Amino acid sequence: MADGPTGLWLIGARGSVATTAITGLLALRRGLAPPTGCVTELPELAGVPLPGWDDLVVGGHDVVGTALPERAERLADSGVLPHRLVEAVADGLRAADREIRTGYHPVTHRGSQADAARRLAADITAFRERHGLARVVVVNVSSTEPPAPDVAEHDDLGALEQALADPTRAVLPPSSVAAYAALRAGCPFVDFTPSTGIALPALDELARRERLPYAGRDGKTGETLLRTVLAPMFGARALRVRSWAGTNLLGGGDGATLEDPAHAQSKIASKARGLDALLGKDVTAPLHIDNVPDLGERKTAWDHVSFEGFLGVPMSLQLTWTGIDSALAAPLVLDLTRLVAAAHAAGRTGPLGALAFFFKDPLDSDEHRFAEQTRELYRWAQELA
């Protein structure tokens, strides 16, 4: 059982993933849908002291103004959400939308990044106090950013905070401003994106100092999920993988964002690190991401695996995965909120490597084999009981 109501504060709260997660949470509360895709509802996690669906209170930051009910209707029109559920939880969507505040945008912000972080942290603190929450878990589901350039201030909290106070500098990308603000508000942080977010030594220093857990990066929902299951199979059967090529076709907001090569670089690098860890860097592994607007919220991933068998006989595996990323990601966002809330209640601090199960590029874990990640998740979660 939870020790009180828990806040879920979403960065990118009006995006596809967040809207799907909020709609799903409201439907689960009312018994309008089964918890399909929710790992925390599996028997293996029974007995873990997780907040219930009724214990979660939603708010967030976003830089767009489209209200949640309208966003949910658009997702229903594109096949992501059932229209009947959107209609049934419309009042809950309106209530959640009232808890969304304006996020940080480097183009429109005036003043220092320290000022921005104080405002964001104040929003989260006010949300916690307004609803009498035991804790708030901040989850980043905003659009993917380009890789952030390395600067010396990223390695030391004191130097970083000095730079943040300088109104002439933008030392952190928006995802890291959000992570800094969350930690300053005393909140655990989850990065479901491949953006820089909390993955900086200075922010790790702050999280440990404030005794806060965090997890990330880049939610594992489709093609990479398959790779972490299949790649260990080749090794276990002593089959030599020669190449593993992938093409991702997607539309919607993600497709538009990742059409920009600078933004796509973060996603491609995240995917590549996992495959390198599973197969080694000598395997040719090109990956392409293409924006196909008419696909809307659907994503198709095609992989071609070339491998050698006994006596060098060449063979291949081809697979196609077609899914709706928001519907795959949303239950994992709810799972991570519940698990990180339980970790915070149990006094866990720093990166939660046992949550590698959920991520393409897991923090504090070099394990990418899905079966091993699953076992580690179950073992770690039961320790929270």
Side-chain angles (χ1 to χ4, degrees), residues 27-362:
L28 290 170
R29 278 184 191 163
R30 299 186 185 186
L32 300 175
T36 305
C38 294
V39 175
T40 48
E41 290 294 298
L42 292 174
E44 289 83 357
L45 297 183
V48 180
L50 304 172
W53 304 127
D54 289 337
D55 297 318
L56 297 179
V57 183
V58 180
H61 281 121
D62 210 319
V63 296
V64 301
T66 305
L68 277 176
E70 181 181 347
R71 191 76 180 89
E73 285 291 346
R74 292 180 186 178
L75 290 174
D77 290 341
S78 62
V80 178
L81 297 170
H83 276 286
R84 63 175 181 81
L85 285 184
V86 173
E87 294 169 359
V89 302
D91 56 340
L93 290 170
R94 286 190 290 270
D97 195 69
R98 290 193 290 271
E99 297 292 345
I100 297 175
R101 302 294 181 262
T102 302
Y104 164 72
H105 196 299
V107 174
T108 58
H109 175 69
R110 297 292 178 266
S112 69
Q113 287 192 318
D115 292 335
R118 277 192 289 271
R119 176 178 65 81
L120 300 180
D123 289 340
I124 300 170
T125 300
F127 171 72
R128 180 173 56 214
E129 294 175 351
R130 187 162 58 250
H131 294 282
L133 305 174
R135 60 189 48 81
V136 178
V137 179
V138 179
V139 183
N140 179 25
V141 287
S142 61
S143 296
T144 298
E145 299 168 349
D150 292 328
V151 296
E153 289 87 348
H154 290 170
D155 295 329
D156 178 77
L157 180 60
L160 175 64
E161 293 189 323
Q162 185 174 357
L164 288 173
D166 184 345
T168 68
R169 296 193 64 185
V171 70
L172 291 179
S175 62
S176 297
V177 173
Y180 176 77
L183 298 175
R184 277 297 181 192
C187 300
F189 188 82
V190 177
D191 205 333
F192 205 75
T193 82
S195 302
T196 302
I198 202 168
L200 295 173
L203 296 184
D204 174 72
E205 181 183 345
L206 178 58
R208 293 178 187 275
R209 192 180 78 185
E210 299 298 323
R211 301 196 58 77
L212 294 168
Y214 65 89
R217 292 186 300 174
D218 199 4
K220 181 167 61 181
T221 58
E223 180 186 36
T224 305
L225 175 63
L226 288 174
R227 288 179 167 191
T228 59
V229 173
L230 292 173
M233 173 194 72
F234 289 101
R237 293 299 296 269
L239 299 170
R240 182 187 176 195
V241 176
R242 301 295 301 273
S243 64
W244 195 312
T247 295
N248 286 201
L249 309 175
L250 66 159
D254 272 354
T257 297
L258 297 177
E259 189 173 27
D260 180 343
H263 289 80
Q265 186 179 348
S266 293
K267 177 68 72 174
I268 290 171
S270 175
K271 286 173 169 281
R273 280 190 286 268
L275 200 58
D276 285 348
L278 289 164
L279 298 175
K281 292 183 180 294
D282 60 335
V283 175
T284 302
L287 177 65
H288 301 279
I289 299 176
D290 295 313
N291 181 27
V292 185
D294 74 280
L295 289 178
E297 298 292 331
R298 293 187 178 274
K299 182 171 78 173
T300 294
W302 175 78
D303 277 27
H304 183 281
V305 185
S306 173
F307 65 97
E308 284 183 5
F310 190 48
L311 305 178
V313 174
M315 292 174 268
S316 67
L317 165 70
Q318 296 183 49
L319 60 92
T320 302
W321 169 281
T322 298
I324 296 179
D325 241 16
S326 298
L328 292 164
L332 304 185
V333 169
L334 300 178
D335 285 331
L336 284 162
T337 302
R338 301 176 83 190
L339 289 164
V340 173
H344 186 224
R348 300 300 173 93
T349 298
L352 302 175
L355 298 183
F357 170 94
F358 293 97
F359 299 108
K360 296 183 182 74
D361 191 18

